[in-house]
């Protein structure tokens, strides 16, 4: 899985990191093409579909910050092992769910377990490798984990069409078992860092985001005038504001706001917000519309993303190496702009539907832009922060990307105008393109430093000055 350019220990670290993250990213997207089948069997329409996606993202995005602190406090390997076992159990519970409520609760549990995996896995790379080696490793990690996001709809489609949507969630068992075996062979010396874990902040973040998302998803059904909407919205906003204030004052914050004084980290996370909101919106809308609007099978809808997967595997690791050599700014600017062109090409989709002339060209352009964007983006953000803070830095970045997806999926009914017909599909394409343009512009304005170079940056929370 890892290139021969890496030492044996580095190859093992990359393999463990990729596999541990693979299941988390896969489950974030594998469900997309299964949504019509789930709502058909269990009921609930587009609201159930939104909750199946967002229940996972709520716990994943809100608890990933807590998981980052746990990773730094108790060790990446231990946290990863617990996350893998919990994720496997939750996946079985999702597959056996008899009704929408149980399914949504199990998906939330899945997201909570997944939160333990992503920051600890990426932190293994940033803790054991630096400079251009780290950039190449992040490129490999990005290629496979993003490919997991993109190949998810295809795997989901195959299971939906030939078995059942329930089997979609059982495909995690084998990679989890393999990762646990490899993890037992990974002998890293890790000592508890003494970092105090702020459990209250974790609860404030989770409850705040959960209440806000509830209001956004249910608003089209109940309207803003309903107390069941505006009250959770206000309470959620207040809780999340309390969380931010607490981060400023806490001695051991889950999200150290001082991290954002590092220029590339701050601007890179703003770019992440726009780019991943666009990716989540595009993935949801394409996966559902190709089935419900264009009449494709679940497998055919999943195949729509295959060109993006192939391009990610071919180009992403190279883009990570290029970013280490030339700096990430140009790739983080050009990549999202190319993706925006691909999103606008989806406006070619018409009532007289043709995948080959209306969707495939857009997927190729989107895949090319995505391949140039993701590894440099990750390298720029994590390369700006010292190794001692790698767990929390990767957790913050992943939380930003998941919150972006969480909020945009919660707002899908508003974006598409209530119904995912052709007009709604086109509305989503315009919004996707606009978000990507913003991501490119932010990157050009904000990103400066080449993470492969050792550049002094302000110290963060008493940690040594971060270097690239």
């Amino acid at each position: 899985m890892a290139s021969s350019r890496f030492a044996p220990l580095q190859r093992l670290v990359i393999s463990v990191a990729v596999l541990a993250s693979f299941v988390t990213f896969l489950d974030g997207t594998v469900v997309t093409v299964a949504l019509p089948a789930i709502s058909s069997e269990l009921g609930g329409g587009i609201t159930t579909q939104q909750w199946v996606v967002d229940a996972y993202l709520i716990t994943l995005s809100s608890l990933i910050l807590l998981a980052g602190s746990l990773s730094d406090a108790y060790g990446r390997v231990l946290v990863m092992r617990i996350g893998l076992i919990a994720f496997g159990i939750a996946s079985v519970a999702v597959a056996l769910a008899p009704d929408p409520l149980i399914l949504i609760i199990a998906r939330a549990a899945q997201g909570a377990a997944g939160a333990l995996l992503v920051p600890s896995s990426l932190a293994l790379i940033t803790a054991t490798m630096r400079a251009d080696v780290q950039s190449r490793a992040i490129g490999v990690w990005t290629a496979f984990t993003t490919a997991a996001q993109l190949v998810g709809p295809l795997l989901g489609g195959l299971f939906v069409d030939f078995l059942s949507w329930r089997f979609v969630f059982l495909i995690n068992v084998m990679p989890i078992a393999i990762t646990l075996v490899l993890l037992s062979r990974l002998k890293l010396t890790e000592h508890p860092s003494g970092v105090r874990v702020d459990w209250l902040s974790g609860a404030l973040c989770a409850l705040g985001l959960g209440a806000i998302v509830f209001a956004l998803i249910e608003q089209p059904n109940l309207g803003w005038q309903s107390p069941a909407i505006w009250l959770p919205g206000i309470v959620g906003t207040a809780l999340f504001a309390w969380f931010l204030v607490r981060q400023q004052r806490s001695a051991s914050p889950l999200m150290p706001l001082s991290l954002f004084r590092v220029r590339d980290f701050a601007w890179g996370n703003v770019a992440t917000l726009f780019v991943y909101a666009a990716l989540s919106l595009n993935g949801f809308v394409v996966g559902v519309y190709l089935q419900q609007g264009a009449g494709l099978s679940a497998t055919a809808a999943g195949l729509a993303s295959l060109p993006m997967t192939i391009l990610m595997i071919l180009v992403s690791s190279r883009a990570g190496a290029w970013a280490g050599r030339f700096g990430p700014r140009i790739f983080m600017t050009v990549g999202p702009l190319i993706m925006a062109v691909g999103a606008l090409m989806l406006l070619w989709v018409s009532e007289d539907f043709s995948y080959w002339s209306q969707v495939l060209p857009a997927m190729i352009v989107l895949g090319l832009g995505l391949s140039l964007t993701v590894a440099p983006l990750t390298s720029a953000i994590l390369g700006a922060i010292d190794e001692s803070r790698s767990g929390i830095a990767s957790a913050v970045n992943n939380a930003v990307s998941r919150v972006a997806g969480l909020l945009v999926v919660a707002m899908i009914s508003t974006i598409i105008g209530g119904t995912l017909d052709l007009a709604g599909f086109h509305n989503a394409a315009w919004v996707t393109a606009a978000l990507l343009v913003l991501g490119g512009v932010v990157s050009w304005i904000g990103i400066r430093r080449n993470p492969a170079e050792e550049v002094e940056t302000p110290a963060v929370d008493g940690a040594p000055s971060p270097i690239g």
Side-chain angles (χ1 to χ4, degrees), residues 3-29:
S3 167
S4 59
R5 293 174 297 177
F6 299 105
L9 176 61
Q10 292 171 340
R11 289 199 295 271
L12 180 58
V13 166
I14 295 171
S15 298
V16 168
V18 165
L19 285 170
S21 298
F22 188 91
V23 294
T24 305
F25 285 96
L26 182 66
D27 256 58
T29 58

Side-chain angles (χ1 to χ4, degrees), residues 306-316 363-364 367-368 371:
L306 189 59
M308 297 177 69
T309 304
I310 294 171
L311 284 166
M312 280 299 303
I313 293 173
L314 293 177
V315 179
S316 187
M363 293 297 106
I364 292 173
L368 177 60
S371 302

Side-chain angles (χ1 to χ4, degrees), residues 6 87 94 105 149 161 222 242 277 287 391 395 410 420 438:
F6 299 105
F87 199 91
V94 173
I105 292 172
Q149 292 178 281
D161 284 341
L222 302 177
W242 183 8
L420 190 47
L438 287 172

Side-chain angles (χ1 to χ4, degrees), residues 20 23-25 27-28 51-71 78-91 94 103-120 176 199 202-203 206-207 395 402 406:
V23 294
T24 305
F25 285 96
D27 256 58
W51 273 116
V52 168
V53 174
D54 268 357
Y56 180 81
L57 289 176
I58 286 172
T59 50
L60 178 64
S61 58
S62 60
L63 297 179
I64 207 168
L65 294 171
L66 183 63
S69 288
L70 292 172
S71 175
L78 174 62
V79 170
M80 184 182 295
R81 184 175 288 115
I82 294 172
L84 286 166
I85 295 171
F87 199 91
I89 294 172
S91 296
V94 173
L103 174 63
I104 290 166
I105 292 172
R107 283 284 285 170
Q110 232 186 356
L116 298 176
L117 297 179
V118 177
S120 58
I176 286 175
W199 298 97
L207 293 173
R402 304 310 147 215
L406 173 70

Side-chain angles (χ1 to χ4, degrees), residues 155-290:
L155 292 176
L158 290 170
F159 279 104
V160 169
D161 284 341
F162 297 103
L163 291 170
S164 164
W165 64 264
R166 297 179 184 276
F167 285 90
V168 166
F169 300 98
L170 296 178
I171 61 179
N172 302 315
V173 175
M174 183 60 69
I176 286 175
I178 294 172
T179 309
L180 286 170
V181 171
L182 292 177
L183 200 59
S184 67
R185 297 170 51 194
L186 187 60
K187 306 301 181 183
L188 292 178
T189 302
E190 290 191 312
H191 303 287
S193 66
V195 173
R196 187 177 67 86
V197 179
D198 188 350
W199 298 97
L200 176 57
S201 289
L204 291 173
C205 185
L207 293 173
L209 284 175
I212 292 170
V213 168
F214 174 85
L216 290 174
I217 289 179
E218 298 295 336
Q219 181 273 327
N221 299 325
L222 302 177
W224 287 114
Q225 73 280 0
S226 171
I229 297 300
W230 59 259
L231 186 58
I234 292 174
V235 171
T237 302
L239 290 174
F240 193 73
W242 183 8
F243 164 76
L244 293 177
V245 170
R246 187 174 174 82
Q247 302 318 290
Q248 183 67 37
R249 299 177 178 176
S250 174
S252 301
L254 291 186
M255 186 175 71
L257 299 184
S258 55
L259 285 173
F260 292 91
R261 291 201 295 266
V262 180
R263 182 184 180 108
D264 281 9
F265 184 86
W267 285 90
N269 274 289
V270 176
T272 296
L273 186 71
F274 290 124
V275 170
Y276 278 85
L279 288 175
S280 298
L281 175 59
N282 184 73
F284 185 103
V285 169
V286 170
V288 174
Y289 178 79
L290 291 185

Side-chain angles (χ1 to χ4, degrees), residues 315-384:
V315 179
S316 187
S317 61
R318 289 186 176 89
W322 294 336
R325 184 185 304 175
F326 303 112
R329 185 188 186 199
I330 185 66
F331 302 100
M332 291 171 59
T333 301
V334 173
L337 296 180
I338 292 174
M339 293 171 66
V341 172
L344 291 176
M345 291 170 68
L346 289 173
L347 296 173
W348 293 348
V349 173
S350 65
E351 296 289 353
D352 185 17
F353 180 80
S354 168
Y355 169 77
W356 299 105
S357 63
Q358 297 173 3
V359 178
L360 178 60
M363 293 297 106
I364 292 173
V365 175
L366 280 163
L368 177 60
L370 184 63
S371 302
L372 293 175
T373 302
V374 180
L377 177 64
T378 306
S379 296
I381 292 170
L382 298 187

